[in-house]
Amino acid sequence: MSRRSILRTGALALALAAALPAIAQDVLIRNATVHTAGAQGTLKNADVLVRNGVVQAVGSGLAAPAAATVVEAEGRPLTPAFFGGITEIGIEEVSGESSTVDAAVTLEDQPMRPEFDVTLAYNPASIVIPVARVEGIGFTLLAASTGGSFIAGQGGVVRLDGSADPVGPRALFVRLGSGTAELAGKSRAAHWMLLDQMVAEARGRVSVDSPHALLTPAGRATLARYLAGNGRIVVAVNRAADIRQLLRWAQRENVRIAIAGGAEAWKLAPQLAQAKVPVFVDALADLPSDFDQIGATLENAARLDAAGVSVSFSQAGDASHNARKVRQLAGNAVANGLPWEDGLAGLTRVPAETFGVGDRVGTIVPGKLADLVLWSGDPLDVANTAQQVWLGGRAIPMRSRQTELRDRYLQQAGPLPRAYSK
């Protein structure tokens, strides 16, 4: 078999493994430093018992059921599986190959399509999934990205356990600011004009057959659901002035929002806390890369948290293929004043609760899914690694396309790596 055939075979095996349904196992993880990310906080020298894919008990001296796998943690950290951020994992395979990218829609005749739902294109066999999973990522929010409109469409939470369908309610994605001004008459003020008209249509104040209608009937029904509070509207926005207008709009229309980015959100921290708006910050953003981020600071997360804002993390740029960096964001926020426990919550409990899946994932609590990670050391320090990931109680193979290539071309004793030996 040729080297190319071997690589293709390995990739196929990984894809099939990613698509397999989780098989529940009975597991006792003994003597761990359990970071529950919940009301119990951190428990030293604690045990976690998993039965039928669910956390059954958390405590000390738990007995292992017959045939259960016992894992000796030896004091190492055990956390809930991490949130990978707001990404396109499973709907974007190769960024530069358009046939593998399904995150955006551009329709010339009627570009405002809130009914567009990217979860319908989700591929649980994506090679990108194991790459994120071996780094301790257990769930992510699939996002619709901007195509022909600043109303991008819908997405939802997926668990990276091979399941084909999203969990929890959908989220609607909107992008405001200079980045989408070209899609709104070249003025950010026009965002609000167009949003007001779409709200009027969804609330029935504009005739369906109006020649000036912006939404299809399906689009009206979709937007009406979010206006009724059924689902979160995730708004990508950075400038403080735009965030101020967003808060006024959300209060006026009585909608539930979350902010993605929020480089200048710290300037409005008290207002965000009062409105109970969670912010998903890029904790590496500290430079004025554009006019919307002149006030960017590494203390953004800490200042928001101190004011009582729920803080989580999501990165700009290639978030899907570099989902592992999300814990670097959290660690960077902690290094700049965010309390460690709140940094962990931003990778676990906060995103789970924000997007309506907190009853299943995000904390180590009896009755929730056993989505767990055992770490070599502090998980917010990138010098440490995930040693074992369990999703629904199933021990996930700690392999990915990248580890397969690493092992194949790793330098061995002798003049050439073993991949080149005859």
Side-chain angles (χ1 to χ4, degrees):
M1 183 180 291
S2 69
R3 286 194 294 273
R4 179 173 294 180
S5 297
I6 292 172
L7 290 175
R8 285 177 176 170
T9 301
L12 177 60
L14 286 169
L16 291 173
L20 290 174
I23 301 171
Q25 297 173 319
D26 290 348
V27 182
L28 177 64
I29 304 169
R30 195 151 52 193
N31 190 29
T33 299
V34 181
H35 299 287
T36 68
Q40 287 185 289
T42 297
L43 306 174
K44 299 281 189 179
N45 304 315
D47 306 336
V48 175
L49 177 61
V50 175
R51 302 205 70 174
N52 299 318
V54 174
V55 175
Q56 186 177 68
V58 180
S60 299
L62 301 180
T69 299
V70 178
V71 178
E72 298 291 350
E74 299 177 341
R76 287 170 291 173
L78 183 75
T79 69
F82 282 176
F83 174 63
I86 302 171
T87 73
E88 297 166 9
I89 293 174
I91 53 175
E92 176 189 277
E93 196 73 20
V94 180
S95 304
E97 175 50 59
S98 60
S99 65
T100 71
V101 179
D102 294 295
V105 63
T106 301
L107 300 172
E108 300 295 338
D109 58 333
Q110 202 159 11
M112 306 291 188
R113 303 302 289 265
E115 66 268 37
F116 173 63
D117 184 352
V118 295
T119 67
L120 299 175
Y122 177 63
N123 176 20
S126 168
I127 294 299
V128 180
I129 291 174
V131 173
R133 200 166 52 192
V134 299
E135 301 285 347
I137 307 300
F139 68 110
T140 189
L141 178 66
L142 295 183
S145 62
T146 304
S149 167
F150 67 94
I151 307 293
Q154 300 176 90
V157 172
V158 291
R159 292 175 62 234
L160 305 185
D161 66 338
S163 299
D165 299 315
V167 294
R170 297 294 188 272
L172 179 66
F173 292 87
V174 177
R175 187 174 183 87
L176 300 176
S178 61
T180 54
E182 288 288 333
L183 301 175
K186 298 185 178 182
S187 170
R188 70 182 75 219
H191 287 125
W192 306 109
M193 175 186 73
L194 295 170
L195 271 172
D196 284 345
Q197 179 176 335
M198 284 185 276
V199 168
E201 291 184 28
R203 296 196 189 282
R205 298 196 295 268
V206 176
S207 172
V208 174
D209 58 1
S210 168
H212 304 294
L214 296 173
L215 300 174
T216 66
R220 290 181 175 216
T222 297
L223 184 56
R225 289 199 300 271
Y226 290 95
L227 294 173
N230 298 319
R232 185 83 65 168
I233 300 177
V234 181
V235 185
V237 61
N238 282 307
R239 196 175 77 159
D242 297 331
I243 295 172
R244 184 178 295 109
Q245 294 299 335
L246 173 63
L247 288 172
R248 291 172 177 171
W249 178 82
Q251 182 179 25
R252 183 171 70 249
E253 301 299 342
N254 194 27
V255 294
R256 298 167 59 231
I257 63 170
I259 288 175
E264 295 188 348
W266 62 271
K267 295 183 177 183
L268 294 162
Q271 296 94 317
L272 289 164
Q274 183 177 11
K276 294 182 170 57
V277 175
V279 181
F280 290 71
V281 304
D282 183 345
L284 298 180
D286 68 330
L287 295 173
S289 58
D290 58 45
F291 284 101
D292 286 9
Q293 302 184 64
I294 291 175
T297 171
L298 292 177
E299 296 181 355
N300 192 11
R303 294 177 186 181
L304 289 167
D305 181 79
V309 178
S310 294
V311 175
S312 185
F313 305 97
S314 192
Q315 58 184 307
D318 195 1
S320 303
H321 295 277
N322 291 288
R324 70 192 76 183
K325 286 175 59 180
V326 73
R327 65 188 181 101
Q328 181 182 356
L329 269 62
N332 201 62
V334 169
N336 285 277
L338 182 70
W340 192 95
E341 291 286 352
D342 292 342
L344 178 72
L347 293 173
T348 53
R349 185 186 74 249
V350 171
E353 291 178 348
T354 297
F355 298 118
V357 294
D359 59 332
R360 281 167 272 191
V361 299
T363 55
I364 303 178
V365 175
K368 292 193 181 182
L369 291 170
D371 289 2
L372 309 169
V373 187
L374 184 65
W375 300 89
S376 63
D378 182 352
L380 303 191
D381 181 345
V382 295
N384 297 309
T385 58
Q387 295 189 320
Q388 183 58 61
V389 176
W390 293 268
L391 295 180
R394 172 177 173 242
I396 298 299
M398 300 301 286
R399 301 195 320 273
S400 71
R401 174 76 166 176
Q402 293 181 350
T403 65
E404 295 285 331
L405 289 169
R406 176 202 66 194
D407 294 343
R408 179 168 177 77
Y409 293 102
L410 188 67
Q411 183 70 50
Q412 302 290 317
L416 293 172
R418 62 189 174 91
Y420 293 99
S421 60
K422 294 182 179 180

